[in-house]
Amino acid sequence: QVQLVEYGGGLVQTGGSLRLSCVTSGRTISRDAMGWFRQAPGKEREFVAAISWSEDNIMYTDSVKGRFIISRDNAKNTVYLQMNSLKPEDTAVYYCAADRGSFYLDRATSYDYWGQGTQVTVSS
């Protein structure tokens, strides 16, 4: 079966950094777009970042531009999210997802497979 598993969440102070990893098994992601979403308590799931399979289309939500970097290593079947200069408002459960071939990479409904999520908490 296809599984996506996130790693690297935890508790950090404001201004700190975390590196999230998402490892996919049961499917090769080399031709998939990969995305990161997050959901805070009482909030809707929010788009964070996405990267197309050919890496010619990389997207970020405005609130993380200049702070977060999405990357992928197809040989390891892994996508990463480097998070720098973290703020308390970044606190959420972060999910990775794989898209087999949709047009809108910033929409959760475009994605076919989802990880279980990893908690990121940023203290003030």
Side-chain angles (χ1 to χ4, degrees), residues 46-121:
E46 176 189 25
F47 169 75
V48 178
I51 183 168
S52 64
W53 70 269
S54 58
E55 302 186 38
D56 60 351
N57 186 19
I58 298 175
M59 303 173 60
Y60 299 95
T61 191
D62 286 344
S63 64
V64 309
K65 287 181 178 177
R67 299 189 297 121
F68 291 10
I69 301 172
I70 188 172
S71 62
R72 63 192 298 158
D73 186 340
N74 289 341
K76 297 181 178 179
N77 231 31
T78 300
V79 64
Y80 304 94
L81 186 67
Q82 177 68 45
M83 304 185 295
N84 301 314
S85 301
L86 284 162
K87 305 174 181 179
E89 51 263 44
D90 295 318
T91 295
V93 176
Y94 283 71
Y95 300 89
C96 69
D99 171 24
R100 294 177 296 176
S102 298
F103 185 79
Y104 298 105
L105 299 184
D106 59 345
R107 298 181 180 180
T109 52
S110 294
Y111 292 83
D112 303 289
Y113 303 101
W114 292 84
Q116 84 289 348
T118 186
Q119 177 71 48
V120 172
T121 302

Side-chain angles (χ1 to χ4, degrees), residues 34-47:
M34 302 296 296
W36 287 95
F37 292 76
R38 65 188 181 187
Q39 188 166 22
K43 303 292 185 180
E44 297 289 329
R45 188 182 301 173
E46 176 189 25
F47 169 75

